[in-house]
Each structure stands twice: as structure tokens, then as C-alpha cells.
């Protein structure tokens, strides 16, 4: 059948022509969902139509409402509240939709678009394990990839691993000096955590060295010479830390020397680099598996950091870039309010922007994708504005399909985290904590007491991971957020377990009914308000997925699932299902429960959340 929004918009245009003799073929019709306090499912805003009809909004609403009710069987009734025409859809439309479409496999998903999109997320450093900040990145990126897949795109997931640079050398140097041959296996520590401990150890030893140096005569001379009156001695030394690392620190010099050796291909340094990175990758893979994400291809900065120079040369030939007297290459983006940006240093070496230019081209060569999504924190907003503008000026074939999925940082109730100081919350520890919270919560209920311990543990794992994922994804990407593990497992709040509980109810009633024949459902015609609400929500699911994909915003799916679950709980409270009073009503309500459960499973699946059969 014709989609209801399209049918209503067509009907309004026809009504404008019939009632007022105006050509409304190009007129935009403002259509929205009816507010809960009024009867109806769709609302036509009549204020914009006064110019055409030359009447008051309320009168236009009354006349259009009457026209639609008289000419379209789908419109059962209407009411007008000021300049808003609320339309009530006929019960027959909802029952037909539920019985013919809502329960079909793949409901809500769009057909294949024949268009490929690459989604980048995770992209960690190999000097430390994944932490809470990575968790938001990974969950947001994965959910977006699954959302785009549901919208009909051919999706490829990738990450670029930052496996080179001074931070990695800090971990390597600390292990070389202080590790005494220890390994993850010999210590029983998860491999990426093992390497991360040496990154923290380097910082600890460096701080000790720095504090000792501050007492030296050389340091005091520098302090007296460079201090600013507005800075205390403590503040001065904090601001001088990076300068000390680069000019005075023995550990700093050793780490920089190790980086130079790596860049020169020193056999022993490269072997150590391979060994420690290998440990980290082993740990990463374990964490990714627990989180339920996968990648179609991995890119490594050690293999891409020299890319992009040929694109710079091409840009020079086209006049897009220019070379300064010192030999450095720049692009002038002031006309796009982005200032001037360096692309090559005077010595010809690359910068991050150069590497990203080359990586974008490489991904296009690998996948032929017309869209690329970069899941990166909002601290890099300017970088991606510059990158995308440069690629457009280079006339890259994918330049119009680039999107920065920018997101705010995530904190704990205790505040921000600092990797070097070892105050981060590791992703593995966070998962363990929410699963433990789910376990404690489960002790208050006996609904799974008949299951084996292994079965109960698997349910608890699903509930804990749902708590973590939903709590993070439900917040719009652009917003900074605080994650509270205890709050996330609340069965009564706006949480993943709350939605899971609604799904479990749909499965429980189905089991109790004994998988009956639902053919009698066709005889049910008069809908209860809660039934209408649920069915109209199901009807909006395909549109919701398309809108969320268009906006790269899986939080819309999370909140849709929450609202659907909330209405399912209300329906459960308001009507009887198995004792509905007639075979037709029972069959219809069972079919409704089945369809709601399927959509909840579909929507939560897009978010990477598994649905248990029991809780």
C-alpha cells in the first residue's frame, strides 16, 4: 500500500486544488507525528498554507480534514487544534499492515542501493589497551556501520592502527630497560594491558627523573631566566615539561633515538617493535571479540605515513597547492574560513594531513567506496574540515561522500581519565564491571533459577553488554557524556536491560501460548489505544532507520527501541493477551507481540546488542 505520509501529502495537495483552486503541486507539506495528548497519528501544519488558501489556519484545518475524511478511506477522523490538523488513521489500515507487513523477515531494512561505504572506527595506539574513550568510538562506529547496512549500503569496516611514533617507543624503552625479559605469558597479564603498564612505567620514571633534575643548578638557572611572574614554580615546571623531555631528559633522548632507529630500519629495534605490537594486537582482538565488532581491513600507520606525497605533487601541478621559499608546501583555505595548512615540511617530510590524503585515496582504490565515514572525537573537527576541503579541491571522486562522525568525550562520575598517569578505565575492566553489576541485579530475581549456571552466566553477559552499549549509544554523538555502570543496568530506567525485558516478555507470552495458529487474527477489527500506538510505532520503523542512517546517528535507533519497549510494557499492563475474550483478539495480540519483539531484536541488533530469551 502507498506509504501513509506520501498519501496524506498527496491528499492535502489535491484538497488545496479542489477547495481553493490553487496549484499546490510544488507546495511543501509540513507533516509530523501527532502529540500524545491529542487523538491521531499524523498532523498537518496548516500555518504555511494560509498564503495559498487565504484563510485562517483553523479554517483550513477544518476544510482539509473534512476533504481528507470524505475522499480517503485511510482517514477515519480528524480534529483541529489551532493551526494543526490531526488525522486519525482507520483501524483497518493498521490491522492490514500488522498482518501483512510488520511480521515479515527483514522488515524495516532497505533494498540494496548498490553503493559502498567505508566506516572507520577504533583506530587505537599500540602503546596501551583500549579504554573507555575507545569504547564510545567503537560502539558508535560499529552501530553506524550496521545502521548503514540496514539502509541498503554495502558497508566495509576499517581501522587505522597508530603503530608508530614516540609514544610506542616509550613503551618499548621501558620494557627494554625495566622489563627483565617478562612477557604477558610469564606474568599472566592480558597482552595489551602488559604493554600499557610499561607506557605508564615510562611516565613514572620520567617524572622521577624530571623532579630530580629540577633541583639541579642548571634547572634553577633556567627557572630564574624564563619564569613568568604570573606562574608559580609548580606551574612553571608543569609548562616546561615537554621542553625538558626534548632538550634535557636522558629518557627522552633514548626514546627519540629509538624512534630514529626504527625509522632507519634497525633490525633489533624493528624486532622489538614487532614483538610488542604483536602482544597488543593479540589483546585488541580479544577485546573486539567481546564487544562483538569486526573489521574488513586493517591499515597501519607504519605503512601509510609516507602516503599522500604524490597527491601533493598533483596538487602543485594543478595550482591547488603552493610551495614556499623554504621548500614547504601549503594550501590556502582562507576562502573557506580554514586558514592556511601545511602539507609538507621544508625537508619534504609528511604531516598527518598528508598521510590522511593518501589513506583516503588508498581506501578508494581498495573498495571503490563513494562514501567514507570517520569516527573520531570532536577534538579533530578542524582537521577533518581541512581534509575534506582539500580532497574536494583535488577533485577526488569520493570527495562529496566524506563524513566526520564527530563525538563528545565520555567521562566517569569520578571525572576525566589520563592514559599516561594510569587513571584510565580499560575497556576490559569496564565490561567486567557492568557484567558484575548485571550479576548483582540478577540475584534479586528468581526468573532464571531453573537454568544451568552456564545458561545464567550467558544471560548475564548479554544483559551487562546491553547495559554498556545502550547507555553509550543512546546519547547523541555530538554530546559529551558521563557513563555510570550502576545506572546502566537499571531495569526501570532508560537502559538496555529495560528494552531487553520488553523483548523477553514477547517471547515469554509466545512460549506460554504454545505457538498457536494466528489465522484468527484477521477477524479482529476494533483496536485498543495501546494497540494503535504500538502498530503506528512499528509502521514508522523503516522511516526511522532511513532517517538515522542519513544523519549517521544510531542514538535515534536506541531511543526508538526504548519508546517501543515502553509502549509494549504499557500494552502489557492495559490489556489481556491470552485471556482476551475472543480467539481473534488473542491471535491478534500475539501477532502484535511477535512483531514488536522482532523489531526490538532488529533495532537492538543494529546497536550490536544481543537479546536474551530469558532474564
Amino acid at each position: 500500500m502507498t506509504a501513509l505520509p506520501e498519501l496524506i501529502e498527496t491528499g492535502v495537495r489535491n484538497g488545496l486544488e479542489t477547495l481553493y483552486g490553487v496549484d499546490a503541486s510544488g507546495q511543501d507539506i509540513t507533516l509530523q507525528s501527532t502529540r500524545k495528548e491529542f487523538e491521531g497519528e499524523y498532523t498537518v501544519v496548516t500555518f504555511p498554507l494560509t498564503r495559498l488558501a487565504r484563510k485562517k489556519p483553523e479554517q483550513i484545518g477544518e476544510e482539509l480534514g473534512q476533504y481528507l475524511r470524505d475522499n480517503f478511506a485511510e482517514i477515519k477522523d480528524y480534529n483541529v487544534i489551532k493551526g494543526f490538523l490531526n488525522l486519525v488513521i482507520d483501524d483497518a489500515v493498521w490491522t492490514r499492515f500488522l498482518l501483512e507487513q510488520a511480521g515479515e523477515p527483514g522488515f524495516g531494512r532497505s533494498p540494496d542501493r548498490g553503493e559502498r561505504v567505508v566506516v572507520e572506527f577504533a583506530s587505537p595506539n599500540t602503546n596501551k589497551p583500549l579504554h573507555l574513550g575507545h569504547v564510545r568510538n567503537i560502539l558508535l562506529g560499529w552501530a553506524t556501520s550496521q545502521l548503514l547496512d540496514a539502509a541498503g549500503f554495502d558497508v566495509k569496516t576499517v581501522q587505522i592502527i597508530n603503530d608508530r611514533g614516540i609514544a610506542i617507543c616509550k613503551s618499548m624503552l621501558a620494557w627494554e630497560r625495566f622489563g627483565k625479559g617478562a612477557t604477558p605469558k610469564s606474568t599472566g597479564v592480558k597482552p595489551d594491558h602488559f604493554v600499557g603498564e610499561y607506557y605508564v612505567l615510562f611516565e613514572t620514571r620520567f617524572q622521577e627523573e624530571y623532579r630530580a633534575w629540577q633541583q639541579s643548578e642548571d634547572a634553577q638557572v633556567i627557572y630564574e631566566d624564563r619564569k613568568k611572574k604570573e606562574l608559580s614554580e609548580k606551574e612553571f615546571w608543569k609548562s616546561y615539561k615537554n621542553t625538558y623531555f626534548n632538550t634535557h631528559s636522558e629518557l627522552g633522548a633514548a626514546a627519540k633515538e629509538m624512534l630514529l632507529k626504527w625509522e632507519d630500519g634497525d633490525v633489533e629495534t624493528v624486532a622489538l617493535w614487532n614483538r610488542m605490537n604483536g602482544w597488543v594486537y593479540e589483546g585488541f582482538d580479544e577485546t573486539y571479540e567481546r564487544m562483538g565488532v569486526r573489521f574488513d581491513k586493517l591499515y597501519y600507520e607504519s605503512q601509510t605515513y609516507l602516503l599522500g606525497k604524490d597527491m601533493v605533487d598533483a596538487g602543485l601541478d594543478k595550482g591547488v597547492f603552493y610551495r614556499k621559499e623554504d621548500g614547504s608546501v601549503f594550501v590556502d583555505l582562507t576562502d573557506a574560513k580554514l586558514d592556511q595548512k601545511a602539507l609538507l615540511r621544508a625537508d619534504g617530510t609528511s604531516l598527518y594531513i598528508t598521510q590522511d590524503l593518501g589513506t583516503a585515496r588508498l581506501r578508494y582504490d581498495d573498495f571503490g567506496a563513494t562514501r567514507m565515514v570517520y569516527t573520531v572525537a570532536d577534538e579533530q573537527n578542524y582537521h577533518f574540515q581541512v581534509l575534506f576541503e582539500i580532497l574536494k579541491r583535488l577533485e577526488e571522486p569520493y570527495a562529496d561522500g566524506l563524513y566526520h562522525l564527530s563525538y563528545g568525550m565520555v567521562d566517569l562520575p569520578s571525572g576525566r581519565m589520563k592514559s599516561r598517569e594510569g587513571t584510565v578505565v580499560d575497556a576490559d575492566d569496564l565490561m567486567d564491571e557492568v557484567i558484575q553489576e548485571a550479576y548483582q541485579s540478577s540475584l534479586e530475581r528468581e526468573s532464571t533459577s531453573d537454568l544451568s549456571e552456564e545458561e545464567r552466566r550467558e544471560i548475564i553477559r548479554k544483559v551487562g553488554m546491553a547495559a554498556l552499549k545502550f547507555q553509550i549509544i543512546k546519547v547523541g554523538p555530538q554530546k559529551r557524556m558521563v557513563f555510570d555502570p550502576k545506572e546502566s543496568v537499571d531495569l526501570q530506567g532508560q537502559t538496555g536491560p529495560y528494552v531487553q525485558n520488553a523483548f523477553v516478555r514477547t517471547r515469554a507470552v509466545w512460549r506460554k501460548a504454545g505457538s498457536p495458529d494466528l489465522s484468527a487474527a484477521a477477524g479482529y477489527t476494533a483496536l485498543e489505544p495501546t494497540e494503535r500506538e504500538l502498530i503506528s510505532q512499528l509502521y514508522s520503523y523503516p522511516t526511522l532507520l532511513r532517517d538515522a542512517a542519513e544523519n549517521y546517528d544510531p542514538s535515534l535507533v536506541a531511543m526508538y527501541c526504548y519508546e517501543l519497549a515502553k509502549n509494549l510494557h504499557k500494552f502489557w499492563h492495559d490489556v489481556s493477551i491470552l485471556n482476551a475474550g475472543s480467539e481473534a483478539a488473542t491471535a491478534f495480540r500475539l501477532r502484535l507481540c511477535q512483531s514488536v519483539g522482532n523489531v526490538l531484536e532488529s533495532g537492538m541488533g543494529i546497536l550490536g546488542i544481543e537479546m536474551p530469551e530469558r532474564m
Side-chain angles (χ1 to χ4, degrees):
M1 63 180 179
T2 303
L4 287 171
E6 181 181 331
L7 181 143
I8 293 169
E9 290 175 10
T10 299
V12 170
R13 291 192 184 94
N14 291 343
L16 290 170
E17 294 176 4
T18 301
L19 295 171
Y20 310 117
V22 297
D23 180 7
S25 56
Q27 175 67 34
D28 288 333
I29 306 302
T30 304
L31 189 65
Q32 58 194 32
S33 297
T34 302
R35 292 169 56 177
K36 291 186 181 298
E37 59 264 37
F38 304 118
E39 186 182 11
E41 287 79 34
Y42 293 95
T43 296
V44 179
V45 182
T46 60
F47 293 104
L49 305 179
T50 55
R51 180 181 57 83
L52 291 175
R54 300 185 181 280
K55 291 188 177 183
K56 293 181 179 180
E58 295 89 337
Q59 188 175 358
I60 296 172
E62 286 290 346
E63 292 171 353
L64 274 178
Q66 184 70 44
Y67 173 85
L68 291 171
R69 186 174 63 183
D70 291 346
N71 290 276
F72 293 87
E74 293 86 353
I75 308 300
K76 177 183 179 180
D77 205 353
Y78 71 93
N79 60 86
V80 178
I81 308 295
K82 296 184 178 179
F84 300 93
L85 167 61
N86 303 318
L87 301 174
V88 181
I89 304 302
D90 192 80
D91 285 357
V93 174
W94 295 132
T95 57
R96 185 166 66 252
F97 159 72
L98 178 70
L99 300 178
E100 295 178 2
Q101 297 182 50
E104 292 301 303
F107 170 69
R109 299 182 67 89
S110 298
D112 183 8
R113 293 171 178 252
E115 185 177 356
R116 180 167 288 176
V117 56
V118 169
V119 179
E120 175 199 297
F121 59 95
S123 301
N125 299 321
T126 57
N127 61 310
K128 55 192 175 185
L130 302 168
H131 57 63
L132 177 56
H134 292 118
V135 170
R136 188 175 196 193
N137 181 302
I138 293 165
L139 296 181
L140 179 59
W142 177 257
T144 299
S145 76
Q146 299 308 291
L147 179 57
L148 290 168
D149 179 75
F153 291 95
D154 176 15
V155 181
K156 299 297 180 183
T157 55
V158 304
Q159 63 171 324
I160 182 162
I161 299 173
N162 302 308
D163 63 341
R164 60 178 287 273
I166 194 67
I168 283 80
C169 289
K170 289 178 180 180
S171 296
M172 292 164 59
L173 182 65
W175 183 83
E176 188 177 63
R177 290 197 174 185
F178 314 120
K180 299 179 181 179
T183 67
K185 186 175 181 181
S186 70
T187 58
V189 178
K190 187 169 178 280
D192 51 333
H193 289 239
F194 177 84
V195 173
E197 289 175 359
Y198 285 95
Y199 181 63
V200 174
L201 179 59
F202 179 93
E203 179 68 14
T204 301
R205 295 300 177 93
F206 169 72
Q207 291 283 10
E208 292 171 357
E209 179 194 87
Y210 187 33
R211 284 193 295 270
W213 180 82
Q214 289 168 24
Q215 307 307 312
S216 71
E217 185 176 337
D218 288 345
Q220 290 303 310
V221 169
I222 290 172
Y223 172 63
E224 292 298 330
D225 182 53
R226 300 190 186 184
K227 70 179 181 179
K228 297 179 181 178
K229 291 182 180 180
E230 65 269 19
L231 291 180
S232 67
E233 185 171 0
K234 181 178 180 181
E235 290 171 332
F236 173 81
W237 289 124
K238 183 177 180 180
S239 68
Y240 191 75
K241 179 181 171 184
N242 287 337
T243 302
Y244 169 77
F245 178 87
N246 289 313
T247 58
H248 301 286
S249 171
E250 187 277 327
L251 282 172
K256 289 189 291 181
E257 181 184 3
M258 181 172 279
L259 178 59
L260 290 173
K261 285 183 176 181
W262 179 87
E263 290 177 345
D264 290 338
D266 177 73
V267 174
E268 290 186 3
T269 303
V270 171
L272 176 60
W273 173 78
N274 279 322
R275 187 182 192 191
M276 294 189 72
N277 278 351
W279 286 337
V280 174
Y281 300 147
E282 182 183 341
F284 283 175
D285 288 346
E286 184 180 328
T287 304
Y288 291 143
E289 184 175 357
R290 286 188 73 185
M291 296 179 74
V293 305
R294 59 171 178 75
F295 299 93
D296 293 300
K297 185 160 186 174
L298 308 182
Y299 294 89
Y300 299 90
E301 189 178 326
S302 59
Q303 299 170 4
T304 64
Y305 77 105
L306 297 177
L307 294 176
K309 288 189 176 183
D310 59 333
M311 297 176 72
V312 174
D313 290 339
L316 285 168
D317 291 342
K318 292 180 178 180
V320 176
F321 308 145
Y322 65 95
R323 192 183 299 275
K324 290 189 172 183
E325 290 184 4
D326 64 358
S328 60
V329 177
F330 275 72
V331 59
D332 185 355
L333 302 177
T334 53
D335 58 333
K337 300 181 180 179
L338 292 172
D339 212 343
Q340 298 182 23
K341 182 69 176 178
L343 299 172
L344 288 179
R345 298 185 182 92
D347 61 3
T349 56
S350 300
L351 296 117
Y352 273 113
I353 193 74
T354 327
Q355 171 188 319
D356 283 348
L357 290 171
T359 303
R361 169 80 66 80
L362 179 61
R363 288 175 180 167
Y364 179 73
D365 292 341
D366 287 343
F367 297 111
T370 54
R371 297 192 186 202
M372 297 183 196
V373 179
Y374 296 79
T375 311
V376 183
D378 56 13
E379 297 168 318
Q380 297 296 320
N381 284 352
Y382 178 77
H383 174 84
F384 284 101
Q385 289 172 3
V386 169
L387 175 65
F388 296 169
E389 181 64 26
I390 293 173
L391 288 168
K392 284 182 180 179
R393 297 188 182 203
L394 290 174
E395 299 179 329
E396 291 293 297
Y398 48 85
D400 290 333
L402 300 171
Y403 184 79
H404 175 204
L405 182 50
S406 173
Y407 63 90
M409 303 301 287
V410 54
D411 301 319
L412 289 167
S414 57
R416 297 185 66 179
M417 305 176 294
K418 298 180 181 179
S419 297
R420 288 181 297 182
E421 299 176 12
T423 60
V424 301
V425 174
D426 293 325
D428 301 296
D429 295 339
L430 184 63
M431 288 187 281
D432 289 341
E433 183 174 353
V434 291
I435 290 172
Q436 180 60 29
E437 289 286 352
Y439 173 74
Q440 292 297 328
S441 178
S442 74
L443 296 179
E444 302 172 5
R445 301 183 299 275
E446 298 296 330
S447 58
T448 60
S449 58
D450 60 319
L451 300 178
S452 68
E453 182 62 19
E454 182 179 354
E455 289 172 322
R456 291 184 69 235
R457 289 286 178 183
E458 177 60 11
I459 290 173
I460 290 167
R461 181 194 67 80
K462 289 181 179 180
V463 172
M465 292 304 296
L468 170 62
K469 293 180 178 182
F470 193 90
Q471 198 76 354
I472 285 179
I473 296 173
K474 76 176 184 180
V475 178
Q478 288 75 29
K479 296 179 181 178
R480 190 169 187 135
M481 65 168 294
V482 175
F483 177 78
D484 186 339
K486 187 175 292 292
E487 178 186 291
S488 71
V489 298
D490 188 352
L491 276 179
Q492 300 304 316
Q494 200 179 77
T495 67
Y498 176 86
V499 180
Q500 286 179 318
N501 190 42
F503 172 81
V504 167
R505 277 186 156 178
T506 68
R507 291 300 191 255
V509 72
W510 190 258
R511 287 194 300 271
K512 192 172 182 180
S515 301
D517 178 10
L518 301 184
S519 59
Y524 188 70
T525 55
L527 298 180
E528 295 291 334
T530 54
E531 294 169 333
R532 293 175 60 87
E533 179 69 20
L534 276 175
I535 298 171
S536 65
Q537 271 190 290
L538 293 176
Y539 187 86
S540 69
Y541 183 57
T543 302
L544 177 280
L545 291 185
R546 289 193 294 272
D547 290 346
E550 183 177 337
N551 290 284
Y552 302 97
D553 189 355
S555 74
L556 300 176
V557 180
M559 295 314 299
Y560 170 87
C561 289
Y562 168 72
E563 292 295 335
L564 184 61
K566 186 167 69 171
N567 281 319
L568 186 280
H569 288 308
K570 186 175 187 301
F571 163 78
W572 193 273
H573 177 270
D574 289 354
V575 305
S576 176
I577 299 173
L578 298 182
N579 298 310
S582 73
E583 185 181 359
T586 293
F588 186 87
R589 290 171 184 173
L590 284 171
R591 178 59 180 268
L592 180 54
C593 283
Q594 182 186 50
S595 297
V596 170
N598 290 345
V599 168
L600 286 175
E601 187 171 36
S602 169
M604 295 289 272
I606 287 171
L607 307 182
I609 295 173
E610 301 172 88
M611 303 296 265
E613 295 289 326
R614 304 272 298 274
M615 282 181 73

